Amino acid sequence: MGSRTLVQPGGGRQVLALNLKARSAKPSKRQLFVVAERTIDVRTRAAATAERPLAVPQQEDNENYGVFRLTYDISNEDPKLTRTWKKTIKVAVSGAAGQISNHLLFMLASGGVFGLDQPISLQLLGSERSREALEGVAMELEDSLYPLLREVKIGIDPHKVFKDADWALLIGAKPRGPGMERADLLDINGQIFQEQGKALNEVASEDVRVLVVGNPCNTNALIAMENAPRIPRKNFHALTRLDENRAKCQLALKAERFYTSVTNTCVWGNHSTTQVPDFVNAKIGGEPAEQVINDDKWFKEDFTPKVATRGGALIKKWGRSSAASTAVSVADAIKSLTTPTPEGDCFSTAVCTDGNPYGIAEGIIFSMPCRSKGDGSYEVIDDFIIDDWLRAKIKESEEELLKERACVGHLIPNAPPAACEITLDTMLPGEN
Amino acid sequence: MGSRTLVQPGGGRQVLALNLKARSAKPSKRQLFVVAERTIDVRTRAAATAERPLAVPQQEDNENYGVFRLTYDISNEDPKLTRTWKKTIKVAVSGAAGQISNHLLFMLASGGVFGLDQPISLQLLGSERSREALEGVAMELEDSLYPLLREVKIGIDPHKVFKDADWALLIGAKPRGPGMERADLLDINGQIFQEQGKALNEVASEDVRVLVVGNPCNTNALIAMENAPRIPRKNFHALTRLDENRAKCQLALKAERFYTSVTNTCVWGNHSTTQVPDFVNAKIGGEPAEQVINDDKWFKEDFTPKVATRGGALIKKWGRSSAASTAVSVADAIKSLTTPTPEGDCFSTAVCTDGNPYGIAEGIIFSMPCRSKGDGSYEVIDDFIIDDWLRAKIKESEEELLKERACVGHLIPNAPPAACEITLDTMLPGEN
């Protein structure tokens, strides 16, 4: 079958491509052929134009993604719908066939994360094992008819899937197998993030924002960052927003106030049991949380475990991990970077400690209170009160992350020699 | 523990309640107590007021929902956030611990369905077996901090959970067990919808909109409707929107056009293999689909199976049923009733055939092309072209639904005696 592209006089090109090729490996018993790579790509018109598009031959797609493309003319699309749209952004998602992604992708495609004027391309990374499930996800996205969803690409090679990505949401990671030590997990997932860091370095947009969700996420983000020297170190994040959301919920429950009244709540440090939900700077109804709740024992003994074991409590009830609320927190983390932070508020995100104002060791990925102008970037807020309790807890999480870094030195270019000395297991309950 | 309510001078009341009671049945081994009913309820302020709320004792909650309530003062909420909000709507959802709901509830709570100025109360119905999973869902909704989500109530008695519901989304149904005939399934699920119809009749808002998703959804909706004489028959729907979405996607793929260009696409009849995706009236880029695609054989032989077996194709890829895109289609079905239908377009929904303009037998729930002013109601479009092909296909689906009705006469008050004569299995592949 042939291949055509319609190019508009203004330069906008619309392509909707469906690539099929026979799998070279032996076919599974229950089917005759496999869709190897499938791309649905309709680029947004650069600008509304009164002129009609011309059909011209398309350049051959020389990537390994398939043998033919069908090409779609969207010139009949209602300009009322598309005229005010921004330039399409490309969002790469790893672990795309997993449960968290199964929520997140639909949130992204609906416009609920980047906005209703933001067309989006989804570039989905799976594993060889999840290849068919990825196709299923792509089919469900098709059937959802989201107007803003302009491209769905699936694949198993990060060097292809991350191509030109403006955002990379790295959700996939190996779960811990039976008898596996934390050091083993750091190594096995570290290798994945080493490869993905290199792939981002080679093919992603040079200003790509990277958000790591797969655990242990802080150190995975560090490995990706250290393997991607072309990308600003500031652009790497590990997800602690779910911890922040859970902390706000617990403060609201304790204070008997609705959760919208809880602000300025940072969760510091590692996304592990050493995480530090900050009640010292948190506000409830604009007043210090410690004054509103006035229960020092609760703050110091109950609050952190309530936040850190929430996932474990949930898995007991629910029988599986908290995919939906994790996806919501990923959406929140993105929105915190793409919309201005309200006056007097903050958001938590684990970022590189280089030059941080709190004396935390440099060169680790550590959750700190941040603000954003909504341009995709952020600054670390420098005036949070650090009392003795907070300082000691932050130190503990910092030491843990330094130990984690020492265990993955072999995955970081030019890392100084260090011994791996992790003994305690600080994985959060309910997470792999 | 005590219970308080804060009543505002203007009459607005804010309640955030958490009900706990020990389970009377013997506890499971892995826990000491069970949260029996849990309610999180913060009513929206009736109007912004400069006066401060007063704390006054709350009336005892005499429903069986628990033993205590914690009460939350939301008077400190930012009036910029809430001033323009509408009155809270109550949305009851059955099968709330299932996969479809796990997507849908978060779409509802985010404002993505009813709008960003529409506070919402979720009233979640599960089964005894899913009680703990329901609590897990409620916990995840809490952790998501959705500002619009003002109440989460869970329970297993429809007579309580459907109380004052403005919408009832009936998703839960028993899956077909091994060796179970379609007639058995009609009976076993029919009993559920008989009970839920009666419950809606007794306790729901008198203008409640009911959308049945649990299969066999058309006849389940009929049973619910016939058992709820207080509620207008026009208010009952069965979901055929997923079929419509899939039909549009297949037309787009065949026409090599983006799916937003496909309009006026009705899927007639039963949500089963006898469904009738209508290519006669469908438009692509404003032109008749038959002219754009010009392939009579494809329309008559391939199109319907492509739509009807999509769920089955997906389950083969994905390993599970298409929960996310089903939830999206439920959201679409709701939005079609709450926003005006664009000029020249339609949406598909299975509704009561009483007085329909196409001569379809009355007293069944049959999918037809509809329009809405966005007020929650609809009218059946009366000028769709019915050619011989369409007429014959519609007749087939009509006859199937008449047979289904005859099989559930024992569940419908004052139904005339009829013999159950279902022989063919027309369940859609990939559905239970």
Side-chain angles (χ1 to χ4, degrees), chain B residues 134-150:
Chain B
L134 274 187
E135 291 165 27
V137 173
M139 287 165 75
E140 281 210 83
L141 286 167
E142 267 187 317
D143 286 345
S144 297
L145 312 180
Y146 287 119
L148 290 165
L149 182 60
R150 292 290 152 163

Side-chain angles (χ1 to χ4, degrees), chain A residues 22-213:
Chain A
R23 194 189 233 174
S24 53
K26 71 177 179 186
S28 75
K29 278 177 187 163
R30 65 182 173 82
Q31 56 181 35
L32 296 175
F33 75 94
V34 177
V35 179
E37 299 290 351
R38 178 191 180 89
T39 306
I40 303 169
D41 169 0
V42 180
R43 303 209 186 153
T44 316
R45 282 191 281 178
T49 165
E51 296 172 89
R52 307 306 290 170
L54 300 170
V56 300
Q58 184 190 3
Q59 276 202 319
E60 274 308 304
D61 178 6
N62 287 322
E63 291 184 351
N64 291 338
Y65 278 6
V67 290
F68 77 94
R69 284 175 178 255
L70 297 178
T71 304
Y72 292 70
D73 168 14
I74 60 162
S75 63
N76 286 308
E77 278 197 75
D78 184 355
K80 282 201 297 292
L81 180 69
T82 57
R83 191 181 291 140
T84 59
W85 282 4
K86 298 173 183 164
K87 184 169 171 291
T88 300
I89 51 165
K90 293 178 180 292
V91 181
V93 181
S94 79
Q99 287 290 353
I100 297 169
S101 295
N102 198 234
H103 288 273
L104 181 62
L105 296 176
F106 291 82
M107 295 175 188
L108 291 166
S110 72
V113 182
F114 286 101
L116 295 173
D117 57 354
Q118 180 57 72
I120 192 167
S121 156
L122 291 176
Q123 306 181 172
L124 309 183
L125 182 68
S127 62
E128 182 61 48
R129 197 173 50 83
S130 68
R131 192 188 271 276
E132 291 212 279
L134 274 186
E135 292 164 26
V137 173
M139 288 166 74
E140 281 210 83
L141 287 166
E142 268 187 317
D143 286 344
S144 297
L145 311 180
Y146 287 118
L148 290 164
L149 182 62
R150 293 288 153 162
E151 182 177 337
V152 176
K153 202 178 276 192
I154 66 180
I156 61 171
D157 179 353
H159 292 265
K160 292 179 179 164
V161 176
F162 292 168
K163 182 97 171 80
D164 298 329
D166 300 302
W167 288 79
L169 311 175
L170 306 184
I171 296 169
K174 285 234 161 70
R176 185 165 47 173
M180 194 187 281
E181 299 291 324
R182 185 165 170 87
D184 299 334
L185 190 74
L186 277 165
D187 177 54
I188 203 163
N189 277 319
Q191 291 177 45
I192 293 172
F193 286 85
Q194 181 186 39
E195 186 199 4
Q196 294 186 0
K198 287 179 180 172
L200 288 167
N201 197 57
E202 282 171 34
V203 302
S205 155
E206 64 182 2
D207 202 27
V208 60
R209 262 69 186 183
V210 183
L211 174 58
V212 177
V213 180

Side-chain angles (χ1 to χ4, degrees), chain B residues 153-318:
Chain B
K153 204 178 276 193
I154 67 179
I156 62 171
D157 179 353
H159 293 266
K160 291 178 178 166
V161 176
F162 292 169
K163 183 100 173 78
D164 299 328
D166 300 302
W167 289 79
L169 312 176
L170 306 184
I171 295 169
K174 286 235 161 71
R176 185 165 48 171
M180 194 187 281
E181 299 291 326
R182 186 164 169 86
D184 298 335
L185 190 74
L186 277 166
D187 177 54
I188 204 163
N189 277 319
Q191 291 178 44
I192 293 172
F193 286 85
Q194 181 187 39
E195 187 198 5
Q196 294 186 1
K198 287 179 180 173
L200 287 167
N201 197 57
E202 282 171 34
V203 302
S205 155
E206 64 182 4
D207 202 27
V208 61
R209 264 69 186 182
V210 183
L211 174 58
V212 177
V213 180
N215 283 315
C217 62
N218 294 53
T219 297
N220 287 342
L222 177 74
I223 293 166
M225 179 184 83
E226 296 289 5
N227 283 282
R230 186 179 62 97
I231 298 163
R233 289 163 76 85
K234 239 194 130 164
N235 289 20
F236 288 81
H237 300 257
L239 184 78
T240 52
R241 184 55 173 268
L242 180 57
D243 306 302
E244 177 189 319
N245 287 359
R246 288 170 171 172
K248 284 176 164 167
C249 184
Q250 293 304 316
L251 290 174
L253 281 163
K254 179 70 180 171
E256 301 181 16
R257 297 277 275 272
F258 197 50
Y259 43 62
T260 49
S261 67
V262 184
T263 57
N264 215 47
T265 306
C266 177
V267 173
W268 299 79
N270 197 4
H271 176 70
S272 76
T273 57
T274 70
Q275 65 179 247
V276 190
D278 178 350
F279 55 82
V280 177
N281 295 281
K283 299 244 164 76
I284 301 173
E287 293 166 44
E290 285 185 294
Q291 284 177 27
V292 175
I293 290 176
N294 195 18
D295 185 343
D296 197 53
K297 187 166 179 296
W298 182 84
F299 278 121
K300 291 191 174 154
E301 293 176 15
D302 298 343
F303 178 46
T304 301
K306 268 182 193 293
V307 175
T309 64
R310 180 78 166 171
L314 218 147
I315 212 169
K316 270 187 197 144
K317 294 281 182 203
W318 178 224

